[in-house]
């Protein structure tokens, strides 16, 4: 038996190297989407890999068009605006009493700053509506299984309206359907579900627009043939896959050279290391595309540490990114996935319980922050991971609860 | 044939482990002396306190829908923790269960592919894969002599790679027949609870009334001595890991019915690796092995579920929840250590 | 090294020489692996061995190496410390909140952070010894408590900002050195801590620590104050985690998940270095080499273009293989 151990060991090591060797079939830069690209063909200059499985051409085009559409509603309150709405009648949900409503909320998670800012904004919004007597929020801690139980449990109580921010689209669908069947009006926002039983589905334009805004900015600001590094958080996350897939379409059509598509896992140290490596490998980088802004500052620091100027870079509406952009005078822009969308479900709930019409699919405008609008959005003294598009500046008590 | 029934009325093939009282000691005495007794005592106290606290807040802890919620939440964690109990009793542990749960849910849902006819083959496939993974874990630990922590951590990484490489997001489709398994209930009692009861009962019987169970306690108590006494320790360890992985596979299948699909993150989202270990130690099983049992684990799972439910009802901040859970786990194990006079 | 060679030369105490050689071989394997990996990386990326890129690699690896040193003390004494990752997160978040971009506060806050790390380690140690809770559970519980507490305090998201002074420790270094542009502070801290750790292990405490891990009953009977030794190990681990946190916060800035998963990486690094879980064997230098190897492994995987998913699989296989190999060497043929 004594010889079996080293043999087993070498077998394991051999496996490791074989797997490693197989892995090198992928294009050296990781490739977009999750398809293992068997041929790293490139008649184009860039290596963006295969298109994402999540990409839907029709949705892509629709979202890009929606960016230009004029929203209906008050111009100074984008969270109340709707783009090309189709209204539905909600008189059947009109509440019997004029107040003391029970509004319930099944929250996917509060495990990242975007959701934290959003949830806080939502809680403040509740305070603005005296008709809501009781607001019950349950946190599913990013677990599908828990959220299904949470929704079941909430649906069984006497909620007058149920707001849901689903953790995952496909797996939460049955739970939402079951809740609809209980007769309570269901409002879904942020991520959607695969059923149209909810009274309204609230969301900003979407990921394709986000990714496209950023990609188009780089196409406009980086010279022809310039080297662009695309940084993504994780593969397989629907809202992030749409962002990259849109950017990929635009990059593929342009004359920019995408030298890498890397996953950072949302870790700042990782992001910095990756960018440093690429600066070294490529000699220089002329543009940075990011699918989210939490590590944008870390990416910029990689350039600073290397002693070079920060090239055109896209981030998001985080405070630290906006602040540094302003201070350092970068060429930058910030696409957004506005946190003010957390205000809208409360507004929708109030409308529904009053029997007023709401859009079936409530598409909120999705502004992008550019050099000339930066000053409008940048607030002083906010925490580094505060989101400028919270729509909270005019709320009573600002900036208190958000600081 | 005048076979005098041995006390206990059973033809036990092996003497039951030392720590268990014989049945004829009176079921009541037996119950109180069982190692699981303090856990259930604690559970009752927790339920009473929770009821009072929730009532002050204006709600009913024991309302129909709430009881359903609690029971439903115990099923997944309960099944995987029952499997983890067997492994921990041996002085080993399994950190790969979370990834295996995700993989099982995906394989199950993909194989079922929305058709009723595929449900049985899907279950068979998933259980086979689970058993295989458990076998691999056991072999790496025994034959390659790799510490269980590392072996199962490595396995978790391997499984994670396999999952991430093949699936982007939820996959597969679960037919209505299997999905209803996760949602059917008889008034307040979910059907899936019977699955949990079945698994726990099977493992309890295994540990208490079979030679395998005896060996588990013996090896957990002291592996060297067991080996010297001639017990085939390696086989016991491998078999225990197979059981643990089978339990994880069953959990994955159950979760597939709840999610109506397989999900690459359902195992890690639920924290089933560390949570199952926490449930096992909360239930009085010693991490070093040799003491404890699956009934205690079930009690531990119930305590966690009731606490979770209370926190939900009171809308306790999720971060405070983590702090409280950490404190409770440490305090519980400290109490057991004190009670038994040896390190837990 | 000289002890081994003198053993060989004199021939006296021949079995001692063989034992030394054996132990060197078992811990020495990691150095061989590290060397091979670094060489391979240099082949794939010729820049790598230039002082700039190599120091950048060390700068990146420094936090992990320091975590490995701290974890080494705990593991060699027979325990686990699963809380180091959350200590790192706490340190970064607390630093940001307290410093709030006020440079004058930098050093007092650094002192406080080291105190927090040591304090957490003290609690871990006391709970694991006096209350007799297995360290796996203690530190697991502490992980939950720390993560929960720090976000409870900051209301869910990090606030404030780290001052430039604070960040310079992890980001910058001594400029103007001939041959290399800049010697990063983190590398200096790393070397200092490494040297201190080696000295500590050679001193009385180190011997007592080994004895405790090897057989705590025997150690107790020979007069070693096992509980105190263990508590000190945890304090060291906590302090190292705090230092690693300061370096990471400096390098990467404020982030809510800076520490996540680091405890498993630290344990993996230590184990790769040939230190046995359960205690009693292994050298701190080997643990440091293990951390460097792990970081080199990540770099190698990156350069090989192995896609993200398979990276995990390869990592898992290599970890198992490394420990199996170490175990094989240790136990010989049985």
């Amino acid at each position: 038996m004594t010889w079996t151990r080293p043999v087993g060991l070498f077998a394991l090591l051999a496996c490791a190297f074989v797997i490693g060797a197989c892995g090198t079939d992928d294009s050296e830069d990781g490739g977009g989407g999750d398809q293992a690209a068997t041929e790293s063909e490139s008649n184009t200059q860039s290596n963006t890999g295969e298109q994402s499985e999540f990409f839907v051409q029709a949705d892509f085009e629709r979202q890009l068009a929606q960016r230009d559409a004029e929203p209906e509603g008050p111009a100074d309150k984008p969270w109340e605006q709707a783009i090309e709405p189709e209204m539905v009648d909600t008189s059947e949900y009109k509440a019997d009493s004029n107040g003391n409503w029970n509004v319930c909320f099944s929250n996917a998670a509060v495990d990242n700053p975007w959701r934290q800012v959003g949830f806080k904004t939502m809680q403040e919004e509740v305070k603005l509506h005296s008709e809501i007597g009781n607001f019950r929020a349950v946190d599913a801690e990013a677990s599908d299984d828990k959220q299904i139980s949470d929704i079941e449990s909430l649906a069984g109580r006497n909620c007058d309206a149920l707001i849901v921010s689903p953790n995952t689209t496909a797996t939460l669908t049955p739970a939402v359907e079951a809740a609809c069947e209980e007769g309570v009006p269901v409002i879904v926002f942020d991520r959607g579900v695969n059923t149209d039983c909810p009274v309204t589905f609230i969301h900003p334009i979407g990921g394709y627009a986000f990714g496209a805004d950023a990609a188009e900015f780089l196409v406009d600001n980086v010279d022809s043939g310039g080297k662009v590094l695309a940084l993504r958080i994780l593969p397989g996350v629907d809202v992030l896959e749409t962002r990259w897939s849109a950017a990929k379409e635009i990059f593929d059509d342009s004359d920019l050279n995408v030298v890498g598509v890397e996953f950072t896992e949302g870790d700042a140290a990782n992001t910095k290391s990756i960018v440093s490596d690429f600066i070294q490998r490529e000699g220089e980088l002329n543009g940075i595309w990011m699918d989210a802004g939490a590590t944008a500052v870390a990416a910029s620091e990689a350039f600073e540490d290397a002693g070079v100027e920060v090239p055109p870079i896209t981030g998001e509406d985080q405070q630290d990114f906006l602040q540094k952009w302003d201070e350092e005078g970068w060429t930058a822009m910030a696409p957004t996935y506005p946190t003010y969308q957390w205000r809208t479900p409360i507004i929708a709930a109030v409308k529904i319980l009053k029997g007023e019409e709401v859009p079936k699919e409530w598409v909120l405008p999705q502004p992008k922050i550019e050099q000339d609008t930066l000053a409008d959005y940048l607030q002083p003294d906010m925490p580094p991971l505060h989101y400028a598009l919270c729509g909270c500046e005019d709320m009573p008590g600002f900036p208190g609860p958000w600081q | 044939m005048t076979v005098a029934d041995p006390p206990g009325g059973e033809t036990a093939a092996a003497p039951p482990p030392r720590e268990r009282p014989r049945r004829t000691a009176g079921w009541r005495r037996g119950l109180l002396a069982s190692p699981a007794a303090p856990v259930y005592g604690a559970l009752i106290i927790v339920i009473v306190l929770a009821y009072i606290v929730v009532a002050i807040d204006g709600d009913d802890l024991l309302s129909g829908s709430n009881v359903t919620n609690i029971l439903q939440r115990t099923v997944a964690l309960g099944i995987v923790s029952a499997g983890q109990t067997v492994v921990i009793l041996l002085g080993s542990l399994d950190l790969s269960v979370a990834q295996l749960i995700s993989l099982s849910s995906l394989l199950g849902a993909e194989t079922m592919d929305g058709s009723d006819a595929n449900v049985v083959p899907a279950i068979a496939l998933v259980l086979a894969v689970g058993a295989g993974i458990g076998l691999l874990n056991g072999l790496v630990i025994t034959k390659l002599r790799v510490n269980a922590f590392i072996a199962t951590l490595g396995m978790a990484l391997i499984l994670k790679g396999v999952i991430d490489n093949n699936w982007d997001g939820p996959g597969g489709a679960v037919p209505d027949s299997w999905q209803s398994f996760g949602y059917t209930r008889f008034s307040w009692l979910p059907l899936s609870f019977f699955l949990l009861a079945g698994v726990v009962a099977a493992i309890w019987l295994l540990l208490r009334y079979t030679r395998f169970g005896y060996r588990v306690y013996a090896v957990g108590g002291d592996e060297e001595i067991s080996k010297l006494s001639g017990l085939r320790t390696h086989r016991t360890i491998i078999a225990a890991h197979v059981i643990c992985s089978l339990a994880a596979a069953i959990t994955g299948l159950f979760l597939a019915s709840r999610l109506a699909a397989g999900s690459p993150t359902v195992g890690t989202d639920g924290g089933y690796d560390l949570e199952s270990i926490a449930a096992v130690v909360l239930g009085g099983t010693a991490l070093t092995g040799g003491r404890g049992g699956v009934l205690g684990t079930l009690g531990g799972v119930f305590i966690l579920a009731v606490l979770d439910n209370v926190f939900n009802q009171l809308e306790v901040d999720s971060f405070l929840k983590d702090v409280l859970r950490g404190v409770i786990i440490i305090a519980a194990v400290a109490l057991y250590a004190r009670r038994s006079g040896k390190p837990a | 090294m000289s002890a081994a060679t003198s053993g060989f030369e004199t021939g006296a105490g021949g079995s001692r020489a063989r034992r030394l050689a054996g132990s060197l071989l078992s811990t020495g394997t990691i150095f061989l692996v590290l060397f091979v990996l670094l060489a391979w990386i240099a082949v794939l990326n010729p820049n790598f061995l230039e002082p700039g890129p190599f120091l950048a690699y060390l700068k990146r690896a420094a936090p992990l190496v320091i975590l490995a040193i701290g974890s080494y003390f705990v593991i060699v004494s027979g325990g686990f410390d699963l809380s180091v990752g959350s200590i790192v997160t706490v340190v970064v978040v607390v630093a940001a909140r307290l410093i709030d971009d006020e440079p004058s506060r930098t050093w007092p806050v650094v002192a406080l952070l080291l105190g927090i790390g040591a304090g957490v380690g003290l609690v871990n140690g006391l709970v694991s010894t006096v209350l007799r809770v297995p360290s796996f559970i203690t530190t697991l519980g502490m992980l939950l408590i720390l993560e929960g507490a720090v976000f409870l305090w900051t209301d869910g998201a990090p606030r404030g900002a780290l001052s430039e002074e604070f960040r310079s420790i992890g980001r910058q270094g001594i400029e103007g050195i001939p041959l290399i542009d800049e010697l990063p502070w983190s590398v200096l801290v790393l070397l200092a801590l490494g040297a201190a750790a080696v000295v500590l292990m050679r001193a009385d405490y180190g011997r007592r620590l080994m004895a405790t891990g090897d057989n705590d009953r025997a150690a107790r009977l020979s007069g070693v104050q096992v509980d105190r030794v263990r508590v000190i190990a945890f304090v060291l681990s906590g302090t190292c985690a705090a230092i690693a946190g300061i370096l990471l916060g400096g390098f990467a800035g404020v982030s809510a998940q800076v520490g996540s998963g680091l405890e498993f990486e630290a344990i993996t690094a230590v184990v790769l270095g040939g230190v046995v879980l359960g205690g009693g064997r292994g050298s701190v230098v080997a643990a440091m080499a293990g951390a460097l190897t792990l970081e080199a492994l990540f770099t190698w995987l990156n350069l090989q273009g192995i896609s993200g998913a398979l990276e995990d699989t390869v990592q898992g296989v290599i970890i198992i293989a490394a420990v199996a190999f170490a175990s094989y060497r240790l136990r010989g043929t049985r």
Side-chain angles (χ1 to χ4, degrees), chain A residues 337-371:
Chain A
Y337 188 61
T339 40
Y340 60 53
Q341 67 182 286
W342 288 72
R343 296 185 67 168
T344 319
I346 302 292
I347 296 170
V350 169
K351 279 183 183 277
I352 292 172
L353 290 173
K354 282 187 182 164
E356 294 170 18
E357 286 188 326
V358 290
K360 179 72 181 164
E361 190 179 346
W362 193 329
V363 182
L364 298 166
Q366 188 169 301
K368 56 184 179 185
I369 304 180
E370 297 175 291
Q371 191 61 53

Short mmCIF file of all heavy atoms in Angstrom, two decimals, chain A residues 337-371:
data_model
loop_
_atom_site.label_atom_id
_atom_site.label_comp_id
_atom_site.label_asym_id
_atom_site.label_seq_id
_atom_site.Cartn_x
_atom_site.Cartn_y
_atom_site.Cartn_z
N TYR A 337 -27.00 53.40 -11.94
CA TYR A 337 -28.16 52.52 -11.76
C TYR A 337 -28.82 53.12 -10.52
O TYR A 337 -28.57 52.66 -9.41
CB TYR A 337 -27.70 51.08 -11.54
CG TYR A 337 -28.82 50.07 -11.53
CD1 TYR A 337 -29.63 49.89 -12.66
CD2 TYR A 337 -29.05 49.27 -10.43
CE1 TYR A 337 -30.65 48.96 -12.66
CE2 TYR A 337 -30.07 48.32 -10.43
CZ TYR A 337 -30.87 48.19 -11.54
OH TYR A 337 -31.88 47.25 -11.54
N PRO A 338 -29.62 54.15 -10.71
CA PRO A 338 -29.93 55.06 -9.61
C PRO A 338 -30.56 54.40 -8.39
O PRO A 338 -31.47 53.57 -8.50
CB PRO A 338 -30.95 56.04 -10.22
CG PRO A 338 -30.79 55.89 -11.69
CD PRO A 338 -30.35 54.50 -11.93
N THR A 339 -30.05 54.81 -7.22
CA THR A 339 -30.65 54.29 -6.00
C THR A 339 -31.99 54.96 -5.73
O THR A 339 -32.72 54.52 -4.86
CB THR A 339 -29.73 54.52 -4.79
OG1 THR A 339 -29.13 55.81 -4.90
CG2 THR A 339 -28.65 53.48 -4.72
N TYR A 340 -32.31 56.03 -6.47
CA TYR A 340 -33.63 56.63 -6.20
C TYR A 340 -34.77 55.69 -6.61
O TYR A 340 -35.92 55.94 -6.27
CB TYR A 340 -33.79 58.00 -6.83
CG TYR A 340 -33.67 58.14 -8.35
CD1 TYR A 340 -34.43 57.36 -9.23
CD2 TYR A 340 -32.83 59.09 -8.89
CE1 TYR A 340 -34.33 57.52 -10.60
CE2 TYR A 340 -32.71 59.26 -10.26
CZ TYR A 340 -33.47 58.48 -11.11
OH TYR A 340 -33.36 58.66 -12.47
N GLN A 341 -34.44 54.61 -7.26
CA GLN A 341 -35.49 53.65 -7.59
C GLN A 341 -36.07 53.01 -6.33
O GLN A 341 -37.11 52.35 -6.40
CB GLN A 341 -34.97 52.56 -8.53
CG GLN A 341 -33.94 51.63 -7.90
CD GLN A 341 -33.43 50.61 -8.89
OE1 GLN A 341 -34.12 49.67 -9.24
NE2 GLN A 341 -32.21 50.81 -9.36
N TRP A 342 -35.38 53.15 -5.19
CA TRP A 342 -35.92 52.63 -3.94
C TRP A 342 -37.04 53.51 -3.39
O TRP A 342 -37.79 53.09 -2.50
CB TRP A 342 -34.80 52.53 -2.89
CG TRP A 342 -33.83 51.42 -3.16
CD1 TRP A 342 -32.89 51.40 -4.16
CD2 TRP A 342 -33.67 50.20 -2.44
NE1 TRP A 342 -32.16 50.24 -4.10
CE2 TRP A 342 -32.62 49.49 -3.05
CE3 TRP A 342 -34.32 49.65 -1.34
CZ2 TRP A 342 -32.21 48.23 -2.60
CZ3 TRP A 342 -33.90 48.40 -0.88
CH2 TRP A 342 -32.85 47.71 -1.51
N ARG A 343 -37.15 54.74 -3.88
CA ARG A 343 -38.26 55.60 -3.45
C ARG A 343 -39.54 55.22 -4.18
O ARG A 343 -40.63 55.27 -3.63
CB ARG A 343 -37.94 57.07 -3.76
CG ARG A 343 -36.75 57.64 -3.01
CD ARG A 343 -36.59 59.12 -3.27
NE ARG A 343 -37.70 59.89 -2.72
CZ ARG A 343 -37.70 61.21 -2.62
NH1 ARG A 343 -36.65 61.90 -3.04
NH2 ARG A 343 -38.73 61.84 -2.14
N THR A 344 -39.41 54.86 -5.42
CA THR A 344 -40.57 54.65 -6.27
C THR A 344 -41.53 53.56 -5.78
O THR A 344 -42.74 53.75 -5.87
CB THR A 344 -40.12 54.36 -7.71
OG1 THR A 344 -39.04 55.21 -8.05
CG2 THR A 344 -41.24 54.56 -8.70
N PRO A 345 -41.04 52.41 -5.28
CA PRO A 345 -42.01 51.39 -4.84
C PRO A 345 -42.96 51.91 -3.76
O PRO A 345 -44.13 51.54 -3.73
CB PRO A 345 -41.13 50.27 -4.29
CG PRO A 345 -39.80 50.47 -4.91
CD PRO A 345 -39.65 51.93 -5.13
N ILE A 346 -42.43 52.75 -2.87
CA ILE A 346 -43.30 53.29 -1.81
C ILE A 346 -44.34 54.20 -2.45
O ILE A 346 -45.54 54.13 -2.13
CB ILE A 346 -42.47 54.09 -0.78
CG1 ILE A 346 -41.38 53.19 -0.16
CG2 ILE A 346 -43.37 54.66 0.29
CD1 ILE A 346 -41.92 52.09 0.71
N ILE A 347 -43.88 55.03 -3.37
CA ILE A 347 -44.82 55.92 -4.07
C ILE A 347 -45.86 55.10 -4.82
O ILE A 347 -47.06 55.40 -4.81
CB ILE A 347 -44.03 56.84 -5.03
CG1 ILE A 347 -43.11 57.76 -4.22
CG2 ILE A 347 -44.97 57.64 -5.91
CD1 ILE A 347 -42.12 58.53 -5.04
N ALA A 348 -45.39 54.02 -5.45
CA ALA A 348 -46.32 53.16 -6.19
C ALA A 348 -47.33 52.52 -5.25
O ALA A 348 -48.53 52.45 -5.55
CB ALA A 348 -45.53 52.07 -6.93
N ALA A 349 -46.84 52.05 -4.10
CA ALA A 349 -47.74 51.41 -3.14
C ALA A 349 -48.84 52.38 -2.72
O ALA A 349 -50.03 52.02 -2.66
CB ALA A 349 -46.97 50.94 -1.93
N VAL A 350 -48.44 53.62 -2.44
CA VAL A 350 -49.43 54.62 -2.02
C VAL A 350 -50.44 54.86 -3.14
O VAL A 350 -51.65 54.91 -2.92
CB VAL A 350 -48.72 55.93 -1.62
CG1 VAL A 350 -49.72 57.04 -1.44
CG2 VAL A 350 -47.93 55.72 -0.33
N LYS A 351 -49.95 54.99 -4.36
CA LYS A 351 -50.87 55.21 -5.47
C LYS A 351 -51.85 54.06 -5.62
O LYS A 351 -53.05 54.26 -5.81
CB LYS A 351 -50.08 55.35 -6.78
CG LYS A 351 -49.49 56.70 -7.04
CD LYS A 351 -48.80 56.69 -8.42
CE LYS A 351 -48.12 57.99 -8.73
NZ LYS A 351 -48.99 59.02 -9.27
N ILE A 352 -51.31 52.83 -5.54
CA ILE A 352 -52.16 51.66 -5.73
C ILE A 352 -53.24 51.60 -4.66
O ILE A 352 -54.42 51.33 -4.94
CB ILE A 352 -51.32 50.38 -5.74
CG1 ILE A 352 -50.44 50.34 -6.98
CG2 ILE A 352 -52.19 49.14 -5.66
CD1 ILE A 352 -49.45 49.22 -6.99
N LEU A 353 -52.81 51.87 -3.42
CA LEU A 353 -53.79 51.78 -2.34
C LEU A 353 -54.80 52.92 -2.39
O LEU A 353 -55.84 52.88 -1.75
CB LEU A 353 -53.07 51.73 -0.99
CG LEU A 353 -52.31 50.41 -0.78
CD1 LEU A 353 -51.48 50.44 0.49
CD2 LEU A 353 -53.29 49.24 -0.71
N LYS A 354 -54.47 53.95 -3.16
CA LYS A 354 -55.45 55.00 -3.37
C LYS A 354 -56.30 54.74 -4.61
O LYS A 354 -57.19 55.51 -4.94
CB LYS A 354 -54.73 56.35 -3.58
CG LYS A 354 -54.22 56.99 -2.33
CD LYS A 354 -53.68 58.38 -2.65
CE LYS A 354 -53.11 59.03 -1.41
NZ LYS A 354 -52.26 60.18 -1.76
N GLY A 355 -55.97 53.66 -5.29
CA GLY A 355 -56.73 53.33 -6.49
C GLY A 355 -56.28 54.08 -7.73
O GLY A 355 -56.97 54.05 -8.75
N GLU A 356 -55.14 54.77 -7.68
CA GLU A 356 -54.67 55.52 -8.84
C GLU A 356 -53.94 54.61 -9.81
O GLU A 356 -53.41 53.57 -9.44
CB GLU A 356 -53.72 56.63 -8.38
CG GLU A 356 -54.40 57.69 -7.55
CD GLU A 356 -53.39 58.64 -6.90
OE1 GLU A 356 -52.21 58.66 -7.37
OE2 GLU A 356 -53.75 59.31 -5.94
N GLU A 357 -53.85 55.08 -11.05
CA GLU A 357 -53.16 54.29 -12.07
C GLU A 357 -51.65 54.28 -11.85
O GLU A 357 -51.09 55.27 -11.39
CB GLU A 357 -53.41 54.92 -13.45
CG GLU A 357 -54.80 54.70 -14.00
CD GLU A 357 -54.84 55.20 -15.43
OE1 GLU A 357 -54.16 56.20 -15.74
OE2 GLU A 357 -55.55 54.58 -16.25
N VAL A 358 -51.04 53.18 -12.23
CA VAL A 358 -49.58 53.13 -12.25
C VAL A 358 -49.15 52.44 -13.56
O VAL A 358 -49.93 51.71 -14.14
CB VAL A 358 -48.99 52.35 -11.06
CG1 VAL A 358 -49.17 53.11 -9.77
CG2 VAL A 358 -49.59 50.97 -10.95
N PRO A 359 -47.92 52.70 -14.01
CA PRO A 359 -47.46 51.99 -15.21
C PRO A 359 -47.27 50.52 -14.91
O PRO A 359 -46.83 50.15 -13.82
CB PRO A 359 -46.11 52.65 -15.53
CG PRO A 359 -46.03 53.87 -14.69
CD PRO A 359 -46.92 53.66 -13.53
N LYS A 360 -47.59 49.67 -15.90
CA LYS A 360 -47.38 48.23 -15.71
C LYS A 360 -45.89 47.93 -15.56
O LYS A 360 -45.47 47.17 -14.70
CB LYS A 360 -47.93 47.48 -16.94
CG LYS A 360 -47.75 45.97 -16.86
CD LYS A 360 -48.70 45.38 -15.84
CE LYS A 360 -48.50 43.87 -15.75
NZ LYS A 360 -49.10 43.29 -14.56
N GLU A 361 -45.11 48.55 -16.44
CA GLU A 361 -43.67 48.46 -16.28
C GLU A 361 -43.16 49.88 -16.13
O GLU A 361 -43.22 50.68 -17.04
CB GLU A 361 -43.03 47.80 -17.50
CG GLU A 361 -41.56 47.47 -17.27
CD GLU A 361 -40.90 46.80 -18.47
OE1 GLU A 361 -41.63 46.35 -19.38
OE2 GLU A 361 -39.66 46.76 -18.51
N TRP A 362 -42.73 50.20 -14.92
CA TRP A 362 -42.39 51.59 -14.60
C TRP A 362 -40.91 51.77 -14.86
O TRP A 362 -40.08 51.43 -14.04
CB TRP A 362 -42.74 51.84 -13.13
CG TRP A 362 -42.75 53.29 -12.71
CD1 TRP A 362 -41.97 54.30 -13.20
CD2 TRP A 362 -43.56 53.85 -11.69
NE1 TRP A 362 -42.26 55.46 -12.55
CE2 TRP A 362 -43.23 55.21 -11.60
CE3 TRP A 362 -44.54 53.35 -10.83
CZ2 TRP A 362 -43.85 56.09 -10.70
CZ3 TRP A 362 -45.14 54.21 -9.92
CH2 TRP A 362 -44.80 55.59 -9.87
N VAL A 363 -40.59 52.32 -16.03
CA VAL A 363 -39.19 52.48 -16.41
C VAL A 363 -38.71 53.85 -16.00
O VAL A 363 -39.18 54.87 -16.50
CB VAL A 363 -38.99 52.29 -17.93
CG1 VAL A 363 -37.50 52.40 -18.28
CG2 VAL A 363 -39.53 50.94 -18.38
N LEU A 364 -37.78 53.90 -15.07
CA LEU A 364 -37.29 55.18 -14.58
C LEU A 364 -36.14 55.67 -15.45
O LEU A 364 -35.40 54.86 -16.02
CB LEU A 364 -36.79 55.02 -13.14
CG LEU A 364 -37.84 54.61 -12.12
CD1 LEU A 364 -37.16 54.18 -10.83
CD2 LEU A 364 -38.78 55.77 -11.85
N PRO A 365 -35.97 56.99 -15.54
CA PRO A 365 -34.81 57.50 -16.29
C PRO A 365 -33.51 57.10 -15.61
O PRO A 365 -33.47 56.89 -14.40
CB PRO A 365 -35.01 59.02 -16.27
CG PRO A 365 -36.01 59.28 -15.22
CD PRO A 365 -36.81 58.05 -14.99
N GLN A 366 -32.50 57.00 -16.40
CA GLN A 366 -31.21 56.53 -15.90
C GLN A 366 -30.13 57.53 -16.32
O GLN A 366 -29.48 57.35 -17.35
CB GLN A 366 -30.92 55.15 -16.50
CG GLN A 366 -29.70 54.46 -15.93
CD GLN A 366 -29.64 53.00 -16.39
OE1 GLN A 366 -30.54 52.22 -16.13
NE2 GLN A 366 -28.59 52.66 -17.12
N PRO A 367 -29.96 58.60 -15.57
CA PRO A 367 -29.03 59.64 -15.99
C PRO A 367 -27.59 59.16 -15.98
O PRO A 367 -27.24 58.19 -15.31
CB PRO A 367 -29.21 60.75 -14.94
CG PRO A 367 -30.13 60.25 -13.93
CD PRO A 367 -30.53 58.86 -14.25
N LYS A 368 -26.74 59.84 -16.75
CA LYS A 368 -25.32 59.56 -16.63
C LYS A 368 -24.65 60.87 -16.21
O LYS A 368 -25.06 61.95 -16.63
CB LYS A 368 -24.75 59.04 -17.94
CG LYS A 368 -24.97 59.92 -19.13
CD LYS A 368 -24.45 59.27 -20.40
CE LYS A 368 -24.72 60.19 -21.58
NZ LYS A 368 -24.38 59.61 -22.86
N ILE A 369 -23.64 60.75 -15.39
CA ILE A 369 -22.97 61.95 -14.90
C ILE A 369 -21.78 62.24 -15.79
O ILE A 369 -20.89 61.39 -15.95
CB ILE A 369 -22.49 61.75 -13.44
CG1 ILE A 369 -23.67 61.36 -12.55
CG2 ILE A 369 -21.83 63.03 -12.93
CD1 ILE A 369 -23.30 61.15 -11.11
N GLU A 370 -21.77 63.43 -16.37
CA GLU A 370 -20.65 63.79 -17.23
C GLU A 370 -19.97 65.02 -16.68
O GLU A 370 -20.41 65.59 -15.69
CB GLU A 370 -21.16 64.03 -18.65
CG GLU A 370 -21.76 62.77 -19.25
CD GLU A 370 -22.38 63.01 -20.60
OE1 GLU A 370 -23.42 63.70 -20.68
OE2 GLU A 370 -21.83 62.51 -21.59
N GLN A 371 -18.90 65.44 -17.34
CA GLN A 371 -18.09 66.54 -16.81
C GLN A 371 -18.95 67.76 -16.50
O GLN A 371 -18.77 68.39 -15.45
CB GLN A 371 -17.01 66.92 -17.84
CG GLN A 371 -15.96 67.86 -17.31
CD GLN A 371 -15.20 67.24 -16.15
OE1 GLN A 371 -14.66 66.14 -16.24
NE2 GLN A 371 -15.16 67.95 -15.03
#
